[in-house]
């Protein structure tokens, strides 16, 4: 990998084996976080100046009947406080319980605003299974303190069935193309990352739409790739994704990589020109020091949010947020979190 496309993951003079940053390029900035940071799979909504920030994340079966958790920051993403859950047992999506056995909590939510409506996508599954579904709720605001707050369940967006589908319907990420058309990126292991067109205002796919594979880990057992998130910047669509193994504490090998395309439909290639469908991916962030297995990422207003496993707390998961920088040739630069 050449220095012009490598990605910085060290600080100051420290250069990791993953990446290099040229000294004259912009430097990313890691936010010094405090408060309630026990977050997994963060969906970040970074507010404008003076506005609150929110993170929706994977739920806990012991809190709010497993609904996505909500945290709020009133100081530009520095300090985070518990703000409850997106719903509770009384408003639990009954269709999930009726169709997918064993669901205890809802994973990896996504938040997207369109035409004054917020769309909250969420994942329903059990670990190691592709009997899964992505559901949708809509509301007026992501802010639980707003009098207009509340989510209306809109049911299923897409599902996967063992023996019928070679994909896993979890980990939603939404982007609009240049014409304002919405697209859903999703997937975990199995056949890799998928792309599905959606329609406004329903936020669901048109009749007859079928997923198309946009990224895979060719030659790697079990195809460990998931958590797609696409960002448009300067005429490019950047597909961030997590690869390798999460959820193993300090034994996790999770890391974040990226590819890009001029078209939302792909093909997505890495900095060396390798198609992501053929196993490509430019490293963004990996394990360094006591920050183990970063992944489950989202991007909002130029800020990358992700979780990692903290070597100083026995491998418990933690939230991290940083302001991305970009290389001269248009690749995202990130820094390792320092504990």
């Amino acid at each position: 990998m050449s220095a012009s496309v490598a990605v910085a993951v060290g600080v100051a003079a420290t250069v990791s084996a993953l990446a290099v940053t040229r000294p004259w390029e912009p430097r990313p900035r890691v936010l010094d976080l405090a408060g309630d940071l026990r977050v997994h799979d963060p969906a970040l909504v970074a507010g404008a100046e003076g506005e609150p920030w929110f993170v929706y994340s994977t739920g806990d079966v012991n809190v709010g009947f497993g609904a996505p958790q909500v945290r709020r920051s009133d100081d530009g993403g520095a300090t985070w406080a518990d703000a409850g859950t997106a719903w509770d047992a009384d408003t639990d999506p009954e269709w999930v319980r009726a169709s997918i056995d064993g669901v205890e909590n809802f994973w990896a939510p996504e938040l997207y605003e369109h035409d004054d409506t917020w769309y909250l996508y969420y994942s329903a599954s059990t670990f190691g299974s592709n009997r899964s579904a992505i559901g949708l709720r809509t509301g007026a605001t992501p802010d639980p303190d707003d009098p207009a707050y509340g989510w209306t369940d809109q049911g299923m967006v897409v599902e996967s069935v063992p023996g019928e589908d070679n994909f896993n319907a979890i980990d939603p990420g939404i982007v609009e193309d240049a014409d304002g058309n919405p697209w859903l990126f999703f997937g975990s292991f199995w056949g890799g990352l998928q792309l599905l067109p959606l329609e406004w205002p329903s936020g669901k796919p048109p009749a007859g739409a079928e997923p198309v594979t946009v990224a895979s880990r060719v030659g790697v057992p079990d195809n460990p790739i998931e958590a797609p998130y696409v960002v448009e910047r300067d005429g490019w669509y950047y597909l961030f994704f997590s690869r390798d193994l999460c959820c193993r504490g300090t034994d996790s090998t999770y890391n974040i990589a990226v590819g890009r395309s001029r078209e939302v439909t792909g093909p997505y290639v890495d900095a060396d020109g390798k198609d992501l469908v053929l196993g490509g991916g430019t490293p963004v962030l990996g394990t360094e020091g006591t920050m183990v297995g970063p992944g489950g990422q989202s991007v909002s207003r130029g800020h990358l949010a992700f979780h990692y496993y903290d070597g100083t707390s026995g491998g418990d998961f933690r939230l991290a947020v940083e302001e991305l920088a970009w290389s001269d040739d248009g690749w995202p630069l990130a820094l390792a979190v320092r504990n």
Side-chain angles (χ1 to χ4, degrees):
M1 182 182 300
S2 68
S4 63
V5 296
V7 182
V9 295
V11 292
T14 300
V15 180
S16 80
L18 280 177
V20 175
T21 300
R22 296 181 297 192
W24 58 88
E25 287 180 334
R27 296 281 179 160
R29 181 177 65 92
V30 177
L31 275 63
D32 186 13
L33 303 189
D36 185 353
L37 305 180
R38 198 169 186 269
V39 169
H40 207 274
D41 303 317
L44 175 67
V45 177
E49 185 174 356
E51 295 181 348
W53 292 31
F54 297 96
V55 160
Y56 280 54
S57 62
T58 288
D60 182 333
V61 65
N62 297 310
V63 181
F65 210 47
Q69 297 183 334
V70 185
R71 288 171 177 81
R72 175 188 178 116
S73 170
D74 290 303
D75 58 2
T79 307
W80 292 91
D82 179 22
T85 55
W87 60 82
D88 56 24
D90 292 338
T91 52
D92 185 68
E94 295 181 1
W95 67 267
V96 171
R97 311 297 180 178
S99 58
I100 304 175
D101 290 336
V103 172
E104 293 185 341
N105 59 334
F106 297 91
W107 306 344
E110 158 73 325
L111 285 163
Y112 196 88
E113 192 271 337
H114 172 77
D115 198 20
D116 295 325
T117 296
W118 283 88
Y119 293 74
L120 170 58
Y121 294 84
Y122 58 91
S123 309
S125 188
T126 57
F127 200 79
S129 169
N130 78 323
R131 180 64 189 105
S132 309
I134 293 171
L136 171 64
R137 292 195 170 202
T138 55
T141 173
D143 184 358
D145 289 342
D146 192 309
Y149 181 75
W151 297 103
T152 301
D153 198 76
Q154 306 294 346
M156 184 186 297
V157 177
V158 61
E159 66 177 334
S160 53
V161 179
E164 297 181 16
D165 300 304
N166 188 34
F167 58 82
N168 194 8
I170 66 171
D171 292 3
I174 308 296
V175 72
E176 289 185 65
D177 63 22
D179 296 321
N181 301 309
W183 297 82
L184 169 67
F185 289 78
F186 70 93
S188 172
F189 289 66
W190 274 266
L193 305 183
Q194 310 296 314
L195 173 64
L196 189 65
L198 302 178
E199 295 178 323
W200 297 131
S202 71
K204 294 186 176 184
E210 294 291 336
V212 174
T213 302
V214 292
S216 185
R217 300 290 304 285
V218 173
V220 180
D222 299 324
N223 203 2
I225 184 172
E226 57 190 4
Y229 199 91
V230 173
V231 176
E232 189 279 330
R233 182 180 186 273
D234 292 343
W236 291 99
Y237 295 93
Y238 290 84
L239 172 52
F240 293 81
F241 59 93
S242 300
R243 57 188 182 182
D244 298 327
L245 303 179
C246 85
C247 314
R248 290 160 172 79
T250 54
D251 292 328
S252 300
T253 57
Y254 231 25
N255 62 96
I256 301 171
V258 70
R260 69 182 184 182
S261 173
R262 285 293 189 185
E263 302 293 334
V264 72
T265 52
Y268 287 85
V269 300
D270 65 17
D272 294 323
K274 186 174 184 179
D275 196 319
L276 299 195
V277 173
L278 301 178
T282 294
V284 174
L285 200 60
T287 293
E288 184 162 321
T290 58
M291 185 198 76
V292 179
Q297 68 289 323
S298 62
V299 180
S300 179
R301 296 177 63 87
H303 290 81
L304 174 72
F306 57 93
H307 70 253
Y308 67 95
Y309 303 93
D310 185 2
T312 67
S313 62
D316 203 8
F317 50 86
R318 294 286 183 267
L319 172 68
V321 180
E322 60 180 85
E323 186 177 7
L324 289 170
W326 296 82
S327 69
D328 292 342
D329 41 8
W331 291 93
L333 306 174
L335 290 173
V337 174
R338 293 291 173 169
N339 296 294

